[in-house]
Structure formats: structure tokens, C-alpha cells
Amino acid sequence: MFPPSMKTKMDDLEARKAELENKLTALPEQDPIVLHPVLTETYRAKLTALAGSLNQEAGRSEAF
């Protein structure tokens, strides 16, 4: 159904995928990343300020 060159390329990609999956499973478990509890509120405040700046004609070019 596919040309031989395409089959060869697909076989190479499948082999590379298997190799990468093996490397991933061999990696040690890492501790989860813990974010500061106030981080989401800080991010929300900064985005709100940015949105406000983008909506004002005077500071729009600086906000961009």
C-alpha cells in the first residue's frame, strides 16, 4: 500500500519511538513540583492588569 521508502521510514520511526519509551521508563521517579499557594492569585492579578493595559488606548503599545 505504501512505497518501500515510506515503510522503511515508518519502521525507523517506530524503532526510535520504542527506544525513547525505554529511556523514559528507565528514568528515576521525580518528586512532583509544588507551587506556592499564592502563585495562582499573583498570576491572575498580572493577567488582569495586562488585559486592562491592552484595552486602554494610551498604554496599548507598551503592553504589547
Side-chain angles (χ1 to χ4, degrees):
M1 181 169 162
F2 298 109
S5 62
M6 188 172 189
K7 182 175 179 350
T8 302
K9 181 68 173 174
M10 289 297 292
D11 290 341
D12 292 344
L13 290 173
E14 288 293 330
R16 178 73 173 139
K17 178 182 174 184
E19 177 187 338
L20 292 173
E21 286 175 344
N22 288 336
K23 285 183 178 182
L24 279 175
T25 57
L27 290 175
E29 288 286 326
Q30 293 183 350
D31 294 334
I33 297 173
V34 179
L35 301 176
H36 193 278
V38 183
L39 183 64
T40 57
E41 292 303 319
T42 302
Y43 185 69
R44 180 178 289 121
K46 288 185 180 216
L47 282 181
T48 301
L50 176 61
S53 296
L54 290 172
N55 288 328
Q56 294 176 357
E57 188 68 35
R60 185 174 295 158
S61 61
E62 288 182 36
F64 274 121

